[in-house]
């Protein structure tokens, strides 16, 4: 399903290719989550180590991304569509590596500060900006999710275009590495709403409360769907996978300790 969605997004007229491929890609609808990868980074082949085994027509796809493809006329029509899909895949995998570098983190930080990835729907998170994250580093397996640093939960993008972006294009390490590099950005955990807010803020809080209630109802509904006759919600909760923040495959130490404590409390209350 995810592979088909990615291929359906690879549409564009010949005139679109008259401009720089990366600029065209970033300006296309649905690609707002991506930042621009610097050309110097792409041209350094060390940064692309191993990607030639993951991308079909790797050399041509790289030439297309860097605008070094000799002639578009020499490409057969059936290969042109496939090459564009592979170019998107290659750029996405390069992007996942780029955004965990110092310069890449700085660019994504700008987007985070502008809340380009959306805000958490939960009321107590007080419109906390979200960050994109992948549940796997392997392409075509999981779509991108949005991580809230306050409630430490994951959400699906509102837009179907964003929902079809491959999670591997952001990787499993990005949001937590961002907060390690910029620890002053770590938000406080969810707390009670400000009761001293004025009328205009109250109306805004009402809107967030409705959105949060809707998100909670959807979550409860999804849990209920997995519970059949004779199966308690507690048993379903024990089977549910928790999102575990990791950096390059290793669990974040403080969060890992907290989650072990939370799971121990949950297990005691269930049994």
């Amino acid at each position: 399903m995810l592979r088909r969605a990615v291929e359906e997004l690879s549409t564009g007229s010949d005139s679109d290719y008259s401009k720089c491929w990366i600029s065209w890609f970033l300006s296309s609808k649905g690609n707002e989550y991506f930042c621009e990868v610097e050309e110097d980074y792409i041209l350094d082949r060390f940064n692309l180590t191993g990607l030639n085994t993951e991308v079909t027509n790797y050399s041509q796809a790289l030439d297309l991304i860097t605008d070094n493809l000799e002639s578009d006329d020499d490409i057969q029509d059936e290969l042109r569509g496939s090459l564009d899909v592979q170019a998107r895949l290659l750029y996405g995998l390069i992007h996942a590596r780029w955004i965990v570098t110092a310069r890449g983190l700085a660019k994504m930080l700008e987007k985070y500060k502008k809340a380009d990835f959306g805000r958490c729907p939960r009321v107590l998170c007080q419109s906390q900006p979200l960050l994109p994250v992948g549940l796997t580093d392997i392409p075509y397996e999981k779509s991108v999710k949005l991580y809230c640093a306050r409630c430490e939960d994951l959400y699906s993008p509102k837009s179907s275009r964003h929902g079809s972006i491959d999670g591997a294009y952001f990787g499993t390490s990005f949001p937590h590495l961002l907060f390690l590099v910029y620890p002053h950005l770590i938000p406080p955990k969810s707390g009670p709403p400000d009761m001293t807010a004025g009328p205009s803020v109250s109306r805004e809080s009402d809107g967030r409360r409705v959105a949060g209630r809707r998100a909670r109802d959807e979550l409860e509904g999804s849990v209920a769907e997995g519970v059949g006759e004779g199966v308690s919600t507690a048993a379903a909760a024990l089977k549910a996978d928790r999102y575990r923040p990791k950096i390059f495959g290793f669990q974040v130490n403080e969060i890992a300790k907290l989650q072990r404590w939370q799971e121990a409390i949950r297990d005691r209350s269930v049994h």
Side-chain angles (χ1 to χ4, degrees), residues 87-98:
R88 288 169 177 267
L89 171 62
L90 178 58
Y91 185 82
L93 296 177
I94 295 173
H95 183 268
R97 297 183 177 189
W98 161 250

PDB file of all heavy atoms in Angstrom, residues 87-98:
ATOM      1  N   ALA A  87      14.316   8.271  -7.877  1.00  0.00           N
ATOM      2  CA  ALA A  87      14.952   9.520  -7.457  1.00  0.00           C
ATOM      3  C   ALA A  87      14.344  10.008  -6.147  1.00  0.00           C
ATOM      4  O   ALA A  87      15.048  10.485  -5.252  1.00  0.00           O
ATOM      5  CB  ALA A  87      14.808  10.580  -8.547  1.00  0.00           C
ATOM      6  N   ARG A  88      13.017   9.874  -6.010  1.00  0.00           N
ATOM      7  CA  ARG A  88      12.350  10.251  -4.771  1.00  0.00           C
ATOM      8  C   ARG A  88      12.823   9.366  -3.617  1.00  0.00           C
ATOM      9  O   ARG A  88      13.060   9.846  -2.507  1.00  0.00           O
ATOM     10  CB  ARG A  88      10.831  10.115  -4.923  1.00  0.00           C
ATOM     11  CG  ARG A  88      10.194  11.177  -5.805  1.00  0.00           C
ATOM     12  CD  ARG A  88       8.754  10.815  -6.114  1.00  0.00           C
ATOM     13  NE  ARG A  88       8.096  11.842  -6.896  1.00  0.00           N
ATOM     14  CZ  ARG A  88       7.389  12.846  -6.387  1.00  0.00           C
ATOM     15  NH1 ARG A  88       7.247  12.951  -5.079  1.00  0.00           N
ATOM     16  NH2 ARG A  88       6.826  13.743  -7.163  1.00  0.00           N
ATOM     17  N   LEU A  89      12.938   8.072  -3.887  1.00  0.00           N
ATOM     18  CA  LEU A  89      13.414   7.143  -2.864  1.00  0.00           C
ATOM     19  C   LEU A  89      14.830   7.502  -2.434  1.00  0.00           C
ATOM     20  O   LEU A  89      15.134   7.563  -1.230  1.00  0.00           O
ATOM     21  CB  LEU A  89      13.368   5.713  -3.407  1.00  0.00           C
ATOM     22  CG  LEU A  89      14.034   4.627  -2.550  1.00  0.00           C
ATOM     23  CD1 LEU A  89      13.348   4.512  -1.193  1.00  0.00           C
ATOM     24  CD2 LEU A  89      14.005   3.280  -3.270  1.00  0.00           C
ATOM     25  N   LEU A  90      15.697   7.756  -3.410  1.00  0.00           N
ATOM     26  CA  LEU A  90      17.092   8.083  -3.100  1.00  0.00           C
ATOM     27  C   LEU A  90      17.175   9.382  -2.300  1.00  0.00           C
ATOM     28  O   LEU A  90      17.900   9.448  -1.293  1.00  0.00           O
ATOM     29  CB  LEU A  90      17.899   8.200  -4.395  1.00  0.00           C
ATOM     30  CG  LEU A  90      19.379   8.580  -4.231  1.00  0.00           C
ATOM     31  CD1 LEU A  90      20.105   7.570  -3.343  1.00  0.00           C
ATOM     32  CD2 LEU A  90      20.061   8.675  -5.598  1.00  0.00           C
ATOM     33  N   TYR A  91      16.426  10.402  -2.731  1.00  0.00           N
ATOM     34  CA  TYR A  91      16.466  11.673  -2.000  1.00  0.00           C
ATOM     35  C   TYR A  91      15.940  11.489  -0.574  1.00  0.00           C
ATOM     36  O   TYR A  91      16.487  12.059   0.376  1.00  0.00           O
ATOM     37  CB  TYR A  91      15.638  12.735  -2.721  1.00  0.00           C
ATOM     38  CG  TYR A  91      15.755  14.101  -2.068  1.00  0.00           C
ATOM     39  CD1 TYR A  91      16.848  14.924  -2.339  1.00  0.00           C
ATOM     40  CD2 TYR A  91      14.800  14.555  -1.166  1.00  0.00           C
ATOM     41  CE1 TYR A  91      16.979  16.162  -1.737  1.00  0.00           C
ATOM     42  CE2 TYR A  91      14.926  15.792  -0.551  1.00  0.00           C
ATOM     43  CZ  TYR A  91      16.010  16.591  -0.845  1.00  0.00           C
ATOM     44  OH  TYR A  91      16.143  17.814  -0.228  1.00  0.00           O
ATOM     45  N   GLY A  92      14.895  10.682  -0.424  1.00  0.00           N
ATOM     46  CA  GLY A  92      14.341  10.441   0.906  1.00  0.00           C
ATOM     47  C   GLY A  92      15.341   9.767   1.826  1.00  0.00           C
ATOM     48  O   GLY A  92      15.472  10.139   3.003  1.00  0.00           O
ATOM     49  N   LEU A  93      16.060   8.780   1.319  1.00  0.00           N
ATOM     50  CA  LEU A  93      17.048   8.070   2.142  1.00  0.00           C
ATOM     51  C   LEU A  93      18.239   8.965   2.467  1.00  0.00           C
ATOM     52  O   LEU A  93      18.810   8.883   3.563  1.00  0.00           O
ATOM     53  CB  LEU A  93      17.509   6.799   1.417  1.00  0.00           C
ATOM     54  CG  LEU A  93      16.415   5.735   1.199  1.00  0.00           C
ATOM     55  CD1 LEU A  93      16.961   4.554   0.415  1.00  0.00           C
ATOM     56  CD2 LEU A  93      15.843   5.267   2.540  1.00  0.00           C
ATOM     57  N   ILE A  94      18.624   9.818   1.509  1.00  0.00           N
ATOM     58  CA  ILE A  94      19.684  10.798   1.779  1.00  0.00           C
ATOM     59  C   ILE A  94      19.199  11.792   2.834  1.00  0.00           C
ATOM     60  O   ILE A  94      19.936  12.177   3.739  1.00  0.00           O
ATOM     61  CB  ILE A  94      20.094  11.535   0.487  1.00  0.00           C
ATOM     62  CG1 ILE A  94      20.735  10.559  -0.508  1.00  0.00           C
ATOM     63  CG2 ILE A  94      21.062  12.671   0.792  1.00  0.00           C
ATOM     64  CD1 ILE A  94      21.010  11.165  -1.877  1.00  0.00           C
ATOM     65  N   HIS A  95      17.943  12.194   2.718  1.00  0.00           N
ATOM     66  CA  HIS A  95      17.345  13.154   3.646  1.00  0.00           C
ATOM     67  C   HIS A  95      17.386  12.626   5.079  1.00  0.00           C
ATOM     68  O   HIS A  95      17.678  13.371   6.031  1.00  0.00           O
ATOM     69  CB  HIS A  95      15.897  13.418   3.215  1.00  0.00           C
ATOM     70  CG  HIS A  95      15.176  14.439   4.032  1.00  0.00           C
ATOM     71  ND1 HIS A  95      14.420  14.106   5.145  1.00  0.00           N
ATOM     72  CD2 HIS A  95      15.087  15.783   3.913  1.00  0.00           C
ATOM     73  CE1 HIS A  95      13.893  15.201   5.655  1.00  0.00           C
ATOM     74  NE2 HIS A  95      14.286  16.235   4.932  1.00  0.00           N
ATOM     75  N   ALA A  96      17.102  11.322   5.257  1.00  0.00           N
ATOM     76  CA  ALA A  96      17.132  10.724   6.597  1.00  0.00           C
ATOM     77  C   ALA A  96      18.529  10.813   7.210  1.00  0.00           C
ATOM     78  O   ALA A  96      18.676  10.990   8.428  1.00  0.00           O
ATOM     79  CB  ALA A  96      16.676   9.268   6.528  1.00  0.00           C
ATOM     80  N   ARG A  97      19.557  10.702   6.384  1.00  0.00           N
ATOM     81  CA  ARG A  97      20.928  10.813   6.887  1.00  0.00           C
ATOM     82  C   ARG A  97      21.309  12.276   7.131  1.00  0.00           C
ATOM     83  O   ARG A  97      22.019  12.590   8.085  1.00  0.00           O
ATOM     84  CB  ARG A  97      21.899  10.179   5.881  1.00  0.00           C
ATOM     85  CG  ARG A  97      21.679   8.685   5.674  1.00  0.00           C
ATOM     86  CD  ARG A  97      22.714   8.092   4.731  1.00  0.00           C
ATOM     87  NE  ARG A  97      22.546   6.644   4.583  1.00  0.00           N
ATOM     88  CZ  ARG A  97      23.410   5.852   3.969  1.00  0.00           C
ATOM     89  NH1 ARG A  97      24.505   6.373   3.423  1.00  0.00           N
ATOM     90  NH2 ARG A  97      23.188   4.548   3.878  1.00  0.00           N
ATOM     91  N   TRP A  98      20.827  13.149   6.279  1.00  0.00           N
ATOM     92  CA  TRP A  98      21.181  14.567   6.359  1.00  0.00           C
ATOM     93  C   TRP A  98      20.623  15.228   7.617  1.00  0.00           C
ATOM     94  O   TRP A  98      21.305  16.021   8.273  1.00  0.00           O
ATOM     95  CB  TRP A  98      20.676  15.268   5.102  1.00  0.00           C
ATOM     96  CG  TRP A  98      20.553  16.758   5.201  1.00  0.00           C
ATOM     97  CD1 TRP A  98      19.411  17.496   5.238  1.00  0.00           C
ATOM     98  CD2 TRP A  98      21.628  17.714   5.243  1.00  0.00           C
ATOM     99  NE1 TRP A  98      19.685  18.829   5.327  1.00  0.00           N
ATOM    100  CE2 TRP A  98      21.046  18.998   5.324  1.00  0.00           C
ATOM    101  CE3 TRP A  98      23.015  17.610   5.239  1.00  0.00           C
ATOM    102  CZ2 TRP A  98      21.794  20.158   5.385  1.00  0.00           C
ATOM    103  CZ3 TRP A  98      23.773  18.772   5.304  1.00  0.00           C
ATOM    104  CH2 TRP A  98      23.164  20.027   5.378  1.00  0.00           C
TER     105      TRP A  98
END
